[in-house]
Amino acid sequence: MALFAKDGLAQTVVHLADSETHERSWHLVHTTQGPLLLCVWYRPPCRGETASVDTFEEEWHKYSDQALGTLVVGDLNVHHKRWLKFSSDKTPTTPEGTALSSCCNRLGLEQKVDKPTRRDKATGAEHLLDLVLTDLHDGVQCEVRPRLADHSAVLMKFFLDVPK
């Protein structure tokens, strides 16, 4: 996991905590409209593992009252054919995909990436595994960028001013 901030913006980002049980970090981004909760999350591919989704929701409840909105970015390795258009045909809906979709519905988080982000080396199939989840619906744009190794980069932009 890594969080990069453009020069001149790094001083507006505050690290809150790291998850004690999963590869996830929580940050506040200070904007002129108020603080924004940012979560960076890597969820390894592990079919049936849903505890990481449960602890995500617990952690979100712990930190979200400090912020005006939420952005979650990461490689989440879930499949849910109705929710994520580019899910695997071999495993179109996994338990962890169902758990994350339900969690996002409860928290009001929308998934913003609209193109596949990973190519399976063995089959050549393209899947959407790198997600941006947010409750800032119109204030966030995502662009899938060129591939780095087996994943494409995802450029996420949010349109809130930060203090100068």
Side-chain angles (χ1 to χ4, degrees):
M1 298 181 320
L3 174 62
F4 297 95
K6 185 176 176 179
D7 284 342
L9 299 180
Q11 71 275 12
T12 67
V13 181
V14 175
H15 179 252
L16 291 175
D18 294 322
S19 174
E20 293 181 11
T21 56
H22 296 93
E23 294 182 65
R24 187 169 44 240
S25 63
W26 294 92
H27 310 266
L28 280 179
V29 179
H30 292 281
T31 74
T32 56
Q33 292 85 3
L36 176 68
L37 182 62
L38 175 62
C39 174
V40 180
W41 184 6
Y42 172 68
R43 190 196 156 279
C46 185
R47 184 174 170 85
E49 185 282 313
T50 59
S52 60
V53 177
D54 297 336
T55 58
F56 163 76
E57 188 166 356
E58 291 168 12
E59 292 167 4
W60 181 87
H61 283 292
K62 182 177 180 178
Y63 302 120
S64 64
D65 64 342
Q66 302 176 48
L68 63 93
T70 303
L71 284 168
V72 179
V73 297
D75 179 1
L76 301 185
N77 289 299
V78 300
H79 295 278
H80 191 286
K81 198 68 165 180
R82 285 182 307 203
W83 181 45
L84 304 172
K85 181 178 175 183
F86 298 98
S87 291
S88 169
D89 289 331
K90 191 168 36 173
T91 54
T93 301
T94 59
E96 60 276 15
T98 299
L100 186 59
S101 174
S102 297
C103 173
C104 288
N105 285 337
R106 284 189 300 276
L107 302 181
L109 300 175
E110 174 185 12
Q111 200 291 119
K112 301 297 279 186
V113 182
D114 63 357
K115 293 183 179 159
T117 59
R118 183 180 188 279
R119 177 174 286 133
D120 186 302
K121 291 178 187 176
T123 66
E126 294 191 324
H127 303 146
L128 173 55
L129 301 177
D130 305 284
L131 307 181
V132 173
L133 309 172
T134 186
D135 52 10
L136 303 172
H137 306 287
D138 295 330
V140 176
Q141 293 180 352
C142 293
E143 181 182 333
V144 176
R145 303 297 293 252
R147 207 169 292 288
L148 302 169
D150 61 339
H151 284 259
S152 296
V154 176
L155 176 63
M156 183 265 312
K157 298 177 185 178
F158 64 94
F159 301 96
L160 297 172
D161 293 327
V162 296
K164 304 278 188 221

